[in-house]
Amino acid sequence: MAELRIKHMVIFNLQVEAGSEQAEQFLQKSEAVLSVIPLVENFAVFRQISGKNDYDYGFSMEFVDQAAYTAYNEHPVHVDYVEHIWKKEVARFLEIDFQAR
């Protein structure tokens, strides 16, 4: 049986005010960096509209299998992004990874 696709999502708040120009710059910069890493599919950026939780933004992407997801996590561009952008600009986050059954 072939491995199932992985949907990787992260919801987060930034160090800066939601909706600010700095927040928009972070979202644009993140999309430009992350969406072009090989094996990333269907990258999307979201803004929270529900009052059911207190996270402001989200990213979503898909991978064909666990090997592709592992390659993304270990890719030098992703590692550099996490160290030099994400850790400095994100206040808190929740990461969710799903496979369809």
Side-chain angles (χ1 to χ4, degrees):
M1 181 175 175
E3 284 193 67
L4 299 173
R5 295 182 65 80
I6 294 173
K7 181 164 227 140
H8 170 67
M9 294 172 278
V10 60
I11 55 176
F12 57 93
N13 290 340
L14 297 172
Q15 300 283 355
V16 298
E17 184 178 343
S20 68
E21 181 61 32
Q22 295 91 344
E24 186 58 35
Q25 288 172 0
F26 170 84
L27 298 174
Q28 290 176 3
K29 175 174 43 180
S30 296
E31 183 172 17
V33 171
L34 299 174
S35 66
V36 298
I37 295 175
L39 305 173
V40 170
E41 298 179 5
N42 302 318
F43 185 90
V45 177
F46 300 95
R47 286 174 182 77
Q48 179 63 255
I49 61 168
S50 171
K52 294 179 182 178
N53 73 65
D54 60 355
Y55 288 98
D56 298 319
Y57 300 104
F59 295 152
S60 174
M61 61 194 82
E62 295 179 11
F63 300 92
V64 297
D65 57 21
Q66 183 61 51
Y69 181 50
T70 299
Y72 162 78
N73 276 310
E74 296 173 355
H75 193 281
V77 171
H78 178 258
V79 172
D80 185 70
Y81 169 83
V82 170
E83 287 301 316
H84 298 106
I85 298 172
W86 182 264
K87 286 183 177 180
K88 292 179 180 177
E89 299 191 42
V90 173
R92 68 189 192 102
F93 69 95
L94 175 62
E95 194 170 310
I96 305 166
D97 299 303
F98 287 112
Q99 280 185 322
R101 51 182 198 100

